[in-house]
Amino acid sequence: QVQLVESGGGLVQPGGSLRLSCAASGSIVSINAVGWYRQAPGNQRELVAAITSGGSTNYADSVKGRFTISRDNAKNTVYLQMNSLKAEDTAVYYCNADITHQTGWAFSSNTYWGRGTQVTVPS
């Protein structure tokens, strides 16, 4: 009943920028903490940025100062602005969100993953 869909990935030259979006849909009551993860071929999935429901943010050292996570609660969307992109940022980027939703009269919270969006920065 709840879906996360990432968009905004693509091919960008080193030093360029992209803005990823993670849009949630369904019987959403609230979107709580959200994280952007990435996974490069042969590597484990890693957390690069996170934002709480109150707007507090944290970043991996590798992206600090270059990436900015933000959210638009009215649109149920979280963004990842990526600047000064490097070849090592190449990966599939995934959105992960803790979402409270309603089924009938009941509320429940679950963690959801999107299917990912590819970001490619050639070396």
Side-chain angles (χ1 to χ4, degrees), residues 33-71:
V34 179
W36 278 100
Y37 290 73
R38 67 186 180 188
Q39 187 167 19
N43 291 357
Q44 290 187 334
R45 193 171 296 190
E46 63 172 348
L47 178 65
V48 296
I51 188 167
T52 68
S53 57
S56 296
T57 59
N58 270 319
Y59 300 91
D61 287 344
S62 59
V63 307
K64 203 170 292 184
R66 300 188 298 121
F67 290 11
T68 303
I69 188 171
S70 62
R71 61 193 295 160

Side-chain angles (χ1 to χ4, degrees), residues 27-32 98-102 107-110:
S27 302
I28 296 168
V29 175
S30 64
I31 300 175
N32 308 313
D98 181 75
I99 295 176
T100 301
H101 57 92
Q102 183 171 358
F107 296 125
S108 59
S109 292
N110 297 93

Side-chain angles (χ1 to χ4, degrees), residues 1-6 21-28 30-31 34 72-78 95 97-99 112:
Q1 289 189 334
V2 173
Q3 283 191 322
L4 291 179
V5 178
E6 301 97 335
S21 298
C22 171
S25 62
S27 302
I28 296 168
S30 64
I31 300 175
V34 179
D72 184 335
N73 291 331
K75 295 182 179 180
N76 287 335
T77 301
V78 174
C95 177
D98 181 75
I99 295 176
Y112 297 87

